[in-house]
Structures are given as structure tokens and as C-alpha cells.
Amino acid sequence: MMEFKPRKLDLYIFKKFIGTFFIALLLIIGIIIIFDISEKIDDFVKNEAPLKEIIFDYYLNMIPYYVNMFSALFVFITVIFFTSRMAANSEIIAILSGGISYHRMMVPYMVAAAVIALFSLGLNLYVIPDANATRIEFEAQYIKHHNANKTKNIHYQIAPGQFVYVETFSGWNKTAYKFTLESIEDNRLVSKLSAESAVWDSTMDGWHLRRYHLRNYTNGLEDSMTSGEKLDTVIALKLVDFYRNEKTVETLNARKLNELIETQRMRGDDAIIYSMMEKNKRAALPFSAFILTIMGVALSSRKKRGGIGLNLGIGIALAFSYILFLRFSEMFVYTGALPPFIALWIPNLLYSIIAAVLYRIAPK
């Protein structure tokens, strides 16, 4: 029967894993920030970005984003690095010779992987969305100047039986042109409200319609028609709906992201694929810590003549192939070949099989 009582060995492996992981991660984040500063310093000077905002709004909020992005890669590199050194120093042989099984030796590795996975999941769900919101706003103001939003041919189902059409929206004056609101009951058009323009008013959380025409359809022949110069209306269409893009989902926490998905599903919004991809990506990436840990130990626990260099080379190649496959799987979603849940979990499934095979043959 396998004994799981904590030992000094468990603490030794756990501390090596966690310590090496965070030190390596902080080093690469520091290098990234240095290169980013050298690339964007001209934009900061040209656009007169305040030093306080550069440090606290941009770079401080960039750190969680890159920590999460590189966590999978550095889990693998960390495990390969310190496990290879343990094997080279015959520590693995001593552990196994001391009566500790290979499976028991994996316990502190998996505990450390669980800590990193929970850390990554917490960043994904609660820290990174708020950090991204501030960082993206800074980029829009000082780095990537965007013209006023202008969107064309928008079709939304804003509520059951209510459909909105906007020919053009201008973010500069917050105005929707050629506005139409249709109400449908029992597959029958019951009213149609048209206006030359609809101007957003934040004080009333609604729209000021200009030159409107409202037609109510009846079952008989007496349809009613009213017109006017001005009409105020409050509907489920908000100003923020016109500013959403593929980056918006990166700024939403778990609750808001789920609310957006429900809204987009009701509206039949094509942009729902970005929301679904973001939701599944947040869960799939932390899970990779377990897969890459098992693969790393299986590849590096045996002493080799080539030293740790060969193990590091194989490990980095496998880690990059995993990350590349994770990115490539997103193309299946864009092309409509696979739903987001299946596409984004395929890499984890495939590499779980590879990890299981490597783990099975490693003790031999």
C-alpha cells in the first residue's frame, strides 16, 4: 500500500519545483519588459504618456498576462531542468533505492503542479481580466491610436421578439444611423420603429430618436402609423454593445463573461466564438500544468550521458509543440470545423495520452 505521509523528500522536491518555476518566470518577464520598453519608448515620448501610468497602468498590469502566458512553458522547463540535475547527481537512483516507488516520488510533483494550476486559474478568472482592461485602455490611448469606432450593418436580437438593425454606428458622436426596431409575436410582425438616427444618452441610459416612424400592425386592415421629430426610448441595446470586439472578452471576469455569452447566444451574435474560446482557454491552460509535469519527469528522471542539455532540448521542443498546437486548434473554431470546447481541449487530450505513455515506460 502506497504511503502518502509527507516526508522531507516531498518538501525538497516541492521547494525546488516552485522556487525554480517562479525565479525562471520572473527572469523572463523582466527580459520581456526590457524589450517592450525599448520598442515602445518612442510612442511613450511622442504621446506624452505619464510615467506613473506607464509603470502602474501598463507594465504592472502586463505582468499577470505574461505570467499566465508562459506558465505552461516554464512548468515543463522547470521540471526538466531540476529533475535532470537530480538524475545527473544520482539523487533519483538514491530515492528509488531507498524504497520509495516511482509513483510515490510523483506526489510532490503533482502537488506543486496543482498549486501552479490553481494560481494560473485564479489569474485567469479574477486578476487578468481587470488588469487587461486597464492595460488595453492604456494601449488605445498612448500606443495604438484608434479612430472613432464605426460599425456597419448590425443585426441584434436584444430581447425575445425584439430585433434591432443599425446601418452605421459612429463612436465619435455615439450615434446609430438608420435605426430600426422590430417587435415580433407568434411569428408575426406587430410593430416597426424606424428613425434616421439614434443618439445615446447616458443620463437616461437610453436613446434619443430623430425623425422617427412607428407603425403598429394589426390583424385587420387598420394599421396605425405615427411620426415625429423626437422620441426617447430605453431598450436592451446599450452603448457598450457597439464597442465590443475580440479583445473585450479578455477584460471580463468569469461572471461577466458568462453573462455576455448568454446575451450573445440570445442575439445570435457571431462574436460569441471569441467569448467561448476565452472561457475554455481559461480552464484548458491551467490544466496543462499536470500534463507537462508528468511529461517532464518521465523524460528527465533517467540519467543520460548527454547531461541535462539533451533533456532540456527535448523538453523545450515538446513544450513549444504543445503551445503551438493549442494556438493552432483555435483555427478549427474560426473555420467552424469544431466547437470551442472540443477544439481547445484536443491538445490537452492528445498530450495527456503522450504523457501517459511516457509515464508508463519511464520506470522501466
Side-chain angles (χ1 to χ4, degrees):
M1 183 177 178
M2 191 182 300
E3 189 227 325
F4 289 101
K5 185 179 178 180
R7 303 166 179 257
K8 287 185 179 180
L9 174 64
D10 297 328
L11 186 60
Y12 173 73
I13 293 175
F14 181 85
K15 287 172 65 176
K16 272 187 169 291
F17 192 161
I18 296 295
T20 308
F21 171 77
F22 281 105
I23 290 172
L25 206 53
L26 289 175
L27 285 173
I28 194 65
I29 296 302
I31 294 171
I32 289 171
I33 289 175
I34 291 171
F35 277 100
D36 193 80
I37 290 173
S38 64
E39 180 185 349
K40 294 188 173 71
I41 191 167
D42 291 338
D43 293 320
F44 295 153
V45 174
K46 179 181 176 181
N47 298 313
E48 300 179 353
L51 180 62
K52 182 180 178 182
E53 292 185 24
I54 293 174
I55 296 172
F56 293 101
D57 290 354
Y58 185 59
Y59 284 110
L60 197 61
N61 287 301
M62 177 192 285
I63 291 173
Y65 175 79
Y66 280 111
V67 164
N68 192 62
M69 177 185 289
F70 289 106
S71 63
L73 174 63
F74 277 90
V75 162
F76 206 15
I77 292 176
T78 297
V79 172
I80 291 283
F81 179 75
F82 84 81
T83 306
S84 293
R85 291 197 63 178
M86 287 175 63
N89 295 332
S90 300
E91 293 178 62
I92 301 292
I93 295 174
I95 290 170
L96 299 176
S97 300
I100 296 176
S101 69
Y102 194 85
H103 304 303
R104 177 61 182 83
M105 187 186 72
M106 285 296 299
V107 172
Y109 281 99
M110 298 310 292
V111 172
V115 170
I116 293 172
L118 289 173
F119 174 71
S120 178
L121 188 63
L123 287 179
N124 271 333
L125 297 180
Y126 303 108
V127 178
I128 292 177
D130 290 336
N132 280 344
T134 305
R135 178 178 59 84
I136 290 171
E137 184 179 348
F138 178 92
E139 288 178 345
Q141 185 174 358
Y142 297 111
I143 300 174
K144 303 173 183 176
H145 283 285
H146 300 292
N147 296 326
N149 286 33
K150 196 165 186 180
T151 313
K152 295 182 178 180
N153 298 323
I154 300 167
H155 297 265
Y156 279 149
Q157 178 180 341
I158 59 173
Q162 281 194 323
F163 298 85
V164 162
Y165 169 73
V166 172
E167 185 175 289
T168 305
F169 173 77
S170 174
W172 178 73
N173 56 5
K174 299 173 184 170
T175 301
Y177 296 97
K178 301 296 183 183
F179 174 91
T180 301
L181 173 64
E182 295 180 342
S183 297
I184 297 175
E185 294 180 4
D186 299 326
N187 296 322
R188 185 179 65 85
L189 182 64
V190 295
S191 69
K192 183 175 182 178
L193 175 61
S194 302
E196 286 293 318
S197 63
V199 182
W200 175 255
D201 186 346
S202 58
T203 59
M204 62 175 283
D205 201 29
W207 302 88
H208 296 302
L209 305 186
R210 299 289 185 268
R211 296 182 183 177
Y212 73 92
H213 302 278
L214 174 60
R215 183 164 186 171
N216 292 306
Y217 298 90
T218 64
N219 287 323
L221 300 175
E222 297 181 359
D223 297 343
S224 62
M225 177 81 173
T226 56
S227 301
E229 287 295 318
K230 296 180 181 180
L231 178 68
D232 294 340
T233 183
V234 177
I235 56 177
L237 183 70
K238 307 302 179 184
L239 183 66
V240 69
D241 292 322
F242 292 101
Y243 287 91
R244 288 196 178 109
N245 53 42
E246 61 271 18
K247 278 185 171 279
T248 302
V249 296
E250 298 177 10
T251 67
L252 303 177
N253 60 33
R255 179 181 59 81
K256 290 181 179 179
L257 183 60
N258 286 329
E259 290 174 356
L260 176 61
I261 290 171
E262 290 302 315
T263 300
Q264 290 176 324
R265 185 176 286 120
M266 179 195 67
R267 293 178 175 178
D269 191 345
D270 292 338
I272 193 174
I273 64 169
Y274 299 111
S275 305
M276 293 298 296
M277 285 173 60
E278 180 69 17
K279 179 179 179 178
N280 285 282
K281 198 186 301 180
R282 291 179 184 183
L285 195 58
F287 186 78
S288 66
F290 297 103
I291 300 170
L292 296 176
T293 297
I294 294 171
M295 290 174 63
V297 176
L299 285 170
S300 57
S301 57
R302 182 176 296 179
K303 190 173 183 179
K304 294 183 175 67
R305 290 183 180 179
I308 66 173
L310 180 60
N311 288 338
L312 276 174
I314 296 172
I316 291 172
L318 274 171
F320 270 113
S321 69
Y322 169 81
I323 295 170
L324 182 63
F325 190 22
L326 190 63
R327 299 300 178 189
F328 181 75
S329 65
E330 295 177 6
M331 298 304 299
F332 294 120
V333 183
Y334 293 131
T335 58
L338 292 172
F341 175 80
I342 295 176
L344 290 170
W345 280 89
I346 280 179
N348 280 344
L349 178 61
L350 177 61
Y351 279 78
S352 292
I353 296 171
I354 296 173
V357 172
L358 292 173
Y359 182 75
R360 185 177 178 83
I361 64 178
K364 301 177 182 178

